[in-house]
Amino acid sequence: MALKASNIKVGDTHEAVVVENLTRTQLVMYSGASGDYNPLHSDEIFATKVGGYPTVFAHGMLSMGMTGRMLTDWVGDGRLTKFGVRFVSQVFPGDNLTAKATVEALREENGEQLVDLALSTVNQDGREVVSGSATARVDP
Amino acid sequence: MAVERFPVEASHIMMFARSVGDPNPIYHDEDYAKGAEPGGIIAPPTFVQASSQYDPDAALRPKPGQPWFGSGREPSGTPRGGGGGGGGTGLHAEQHFEYHRHLHPGDVLSAKTRPGKSWEREGRRAGKLKFSETITEYFDQNGELVITARSVGVQTERVVEQA
C-alpha cells in the first residue's frame, strides 16, 4: 500500500524501531550479503587491537539499509526516487535504533505527486546516528 | 570500483534483505510480489552496494593467496596501506541514491564510476578529515541508467573518539 498525499501534511512524522539489541551476527550477515568484509565490522581482535575501537561497529550502509526499511514500509514498495544519508555517529552491537521520517514538502513534478522527507535515525541514548533525506512518489 | 557485470539474483536479494533485518515479502516471495504494485520481486533501496561482490578487485574482500589485513595468527595479517598512523582509518561519510527505476531479479547491471569533488576540514573527534566523492552510474542490460549513486568517503587522522 502506497502513501497518499491526501493523508499527510507538512510536519507529519512516521517512526519505527528498526533494530533492538543489534548483534555481531547481523554485522556478519551484512558483510556476507554486501561484500564489505572490512574486519572493523566482524573481527573483534582487529577492531580493538589494530583499529583502536572499543569493539566492532556496524557498516554505515547497514544503518542506511535499516533506515530504508522504515521508509519503504511507510511510502510503499518501489516508490522511492531519492534516498541519501550522512553517517553521523557509529553504531555498535547492543544498540537499539529508531528511524524517523518527517514530511518536508508535498509537490508535483512531471505530473507525479512527490513527498520530500527528512530522515533521522537515533540510538537508545537519543543520539543521532544517521541523518538524511528521501523523495517518494505518492498517490493523490 | 569497476563492475562490468552485476547480475541481480533473487537469492542475493533475499539474503541482502535478511541482513538489513527487512522481512518484507516483496524481497523474497514471488507469489506475493506478482500481486503487489511492482509486479514482481524488487531489490531493497540500498542493494546496489552489493555490486562489490562482482568487483574483481574489491579491496574489502579477502582473496585466496593474498595477504588480508584482518586477524589470523596476529591481530593484523598485513600493514595497512596509506600510512596515517595514530589508528586513523577510512570511513564511509555519506551515501546518496537516485532511482530511475527499481531493480528486479534478472537485471544485469554494469557500473561506471568517476571521482567527484574532494575537500578537507578539521574534525572535532578524529583530527583532520579528508573527504572524497565517488559517483557511480548503474546501467541495465538495455543500456538504460537505472540508479545513480554518490558516495562520500572520509580518511580520518585518528580513531573517532567515542562520547
Side-chain angles (χ1 to χ4, degrees):
Chain A
M1 286 295 278
L3 198 58
K4 283 185 162 74
S6 53
N7 290 346
I8 50 173
K9 58 183 189 307
V10 171
D12 280 359
T13 62
H14 171 80
E15 68 173 45
V17 174
V18 291
V19 70
E20 283 185 297
N21 191 8
L22 176 67
T23 61
R24 290 173 178 81
T25 305
Q26 189 170 350
L27 306 192
V28 171
M29 288 171 77
Y30 190 79
S31 297
S34 69
D36 178 350
Y37 300 96
N38 190 333
L40 285 173
H41 305 306
S42 58
D43 182 337
E44 186 79 12
I45 292 169
F46 178 85
T48 56
K49 294 194 173 164
V50 182
Y53 287 93
T55 180
V56 293
F57 58 91
H59 312 66
M61 289 305 297
L62 173 56
S63 304
M64 183 179 191
M66 293 190 295
T67 301
R69 176 189 170 194
M70 172 280 296
L71 206 49
T72 50
D73 280 350
W74 193 39
V75 301
D77 299 325
R79 290 297 188 119
L80 287 179
T81 61
K82 281 182 187 175
F83 178 22
V85 302
R86 213 158 56 81
F87 304 108
V88 182
S89 294
Q90 283 164 314
V91 171
F92 289 95
D95 279 357
N96 302 336
L97 299 184
T98 302
K100 183 166 89 171
T102 304
V103 176
E104 297 266 280
L106 283 157
R107 59 194 172 89
E108 213 182 293
E109 195 178 287
N110 303 324
E112 288 187 322
Q113 290 270 3
L114 299 174
V115 61
D116 293 322
L117 303 166
L119 308 174
S120 178
T121 300
V122 299
N123 67 15
Q124 61 283 356
D125 303 320
R127 180 172 184 162
E128 187 170 61
V129 296
V130 163
S131 74
S133 62
T135 301
R137 288 185 297 112
V138 288
D139 287 337
Chain B
M1 182 166 67
V3 177
E4 286 179 13
R5 192 169 187 279
F6 172 20
V8 176
E9 291 166 350
S11 58
H12 195 188
I13 291 175
M14 177 188 76
M15 289 189 285
F16 188 91
R18 280 182 182 164
S19 79
V20 298
D22 194 334
N24 189 337
I26 198 73
Y27 303 132
H28 63 85
D29 182 335
E30 182 127 11
D31 290 337
Y32 166 86
K34 273 182 192 158
E37 186 181 271
I41 287 173
I42 57 171
T46 60
F47 178 75
V48 283
Q49 201 67 13
S51 63
S52 70
Q53 295 282 16
Y54 292 91
D55 176 359
D57 304 318
L60 295 176
R61 182 180 67 244
K63 297 173 194 73
Q66 294 183 26
W68 174 245
F69 63 99
S71 69
R73 282 189 206 104
E74 303 297 330
S76 180
T78 179
R80 301 188 69 186
T89 186
L91 296 171
H92 199 172
E94 292 181 37
Q95 182 68 42
H96 304 267
F97 295 111
E98 200 175 327
Y99 307 98
H100 310 292
R101 75 166 171 84
H102 288 268
L103 304 175
H104 293 275
D107 281 333
V108 180
L109 308 183
S110 60
K112 278 188 193 150
T113 295
R114 62 175 195 272
K117 290 178 291 188
S118 59
W119 65 96
E120 282 188 17
R121 73 172 170 82
E122 203 60 37
R124 274 172 302 150
R125 292 185 286 141
K128 184 177 281 184
L129 307 174
K130 291 181 182 171
F131 293 90
S132 59
E133 204 176 58
T134 305
I135 292 139
T136 305
E137 291 175 312
Y138 293 90
F139 296 88
D140 69 8
Q141 54 279 13
N142 302 315
E144 298 284 333
L145 179 64
V146 288
I147 294 178
T148 305
R150 183 167 62 86
S151 174
V152 179
V154 59
Q155 196 71 33
T156 70
E157 194 171 20
R158 53 177 196 268
V159 165
V160 182
E161 284 167 28
Q162 304 303 316

